[in-house]
Amino acid sequence: MMPRVRDEGGTTLLELGVVLAVLVVLVALALSGFARLRQDRLAEGVAWEVAQALRYAQQLAVARGGEWRAVRVRFSERVELRGVRWDGVETEVVMVTDRFPEGVRVSPLSRPLVEFSRSGSPTPGSNQTIEVRAGAVVRYVVLSAQTGRVRITHARP
């Protein structure tokens, strides 16, 4: 008769180390995916905010066309709208957005301002592409000079 081997039912140090290593890898993958998702949502949200400001400026230019020659949209750490009187002098700030979230950069790729005439169409030279960058994620807000259409895209036009 053979002697019985007693099974204690515990785990070895090697098994515990393997399980911990797998858990560390899974947590690291989840955290990097979460950071990328956060950047994606930040860029998308700010791009929508910029697009809405441009659309509002178009509507404002049409609505106030009797007293203003145009509406200007300036980009800095926020978006700022000003009316332009017939003598070319800018009015007070009509609308301003909040500052962009930390880590989000908004930069026009050509001129730092866009101008809409009283018909709502962009003035010549206002064909703009505005880059919204949050970490490695980039969105582009594109204003078509021919149609005045504002759209958001992932690819640089």
Side-chain angles (χ1 to χ4, degrees), residues 3-12 15:
R4 281 192 170 173
V5 176
R6 199 168 147 198
D7 185 13
E8 304 251 341
T11 59
T12 65
E15 292 170 332

Side-chain angles (χ1 to χ4, degrees), residues 31-43 137:
L31 287 178
S32 68
F34 179 72
R36 174 74 180 200
L37 180 66
R38 181 179 180 277
Q39 290 174 348
D40 186 55
R41 293 297 158 234
L42 275 174
V137 178

Side-chain angles (χ1 to χ4, degrees), residues 98-113:
D98 293 332
R99 291 186 186 274
F100 299 125
E102 188 71 33
V104 177
R105 196 182 79 223
V106 176
S107 54
L109 297 182
S110 56
R111 294 175 40 193
L113 66 89

Side-chain angles (χ1 to χ4, degrees), residues 12-23:
T12 65
L13 190 57
L14 179 62
E15 292 170 332
L16 187 61
V18 169
V19 168
L20 285 176
V22 168
L23 284 175

Side-chain angles (χ1 to χ4, degrees), residues 58-157:
Q58 283 179 310
Q59 294 170 358
L60 193 60
V62 172
R64 305 284 296 267
E67 54 189 289
W68 292 346
R69 175 179 58 108
V71 172
R72 286 192 183 135
V73 183
R74 294 188 185 282
F75 298 94
S76 56
E77 68 274 353
R78 62 180 127 209
V79 180
E80 180 179 290
L81 274 63
R82 294 176 182 257
V84 180
R85 294 192 309 231
W86 290 99
D87 59 2
V89 177
E90 288 185 350
T91 65
E92 73 282 349
V93 175
V94 177
M95 186 203 89
V96 64
T97 64
D98 293 332
R99 291 186 186 274
F100 299 125
E102 188 71 33
V104 177
R105 196 182 79 223
V106 176
S107 54
L109 297 182
S110 56
R111 294 175 40 193
L113 66 89
V114 174
E115 188 173 284
F116 293 98
S117 68
R118 35 183 232 184
S119 67
S121 62
T123 58
S126 286
N127 189 4
Q128 277 285 9
T129 300
I130 297 110
E131 180 183 80
V132 178
R133 180 178 294 274
V137 178
V138 179
R139 296 288 184 276
Y140 297 97
V141 180
V142 181
L143 171 64
S144 172
Q146 291 80 17
T147 63
R149 178 177 175 234
V150 179
R151 63 186 172 93
I152 299 172
T153 181
H154 300 269
R156 186 173 181 161

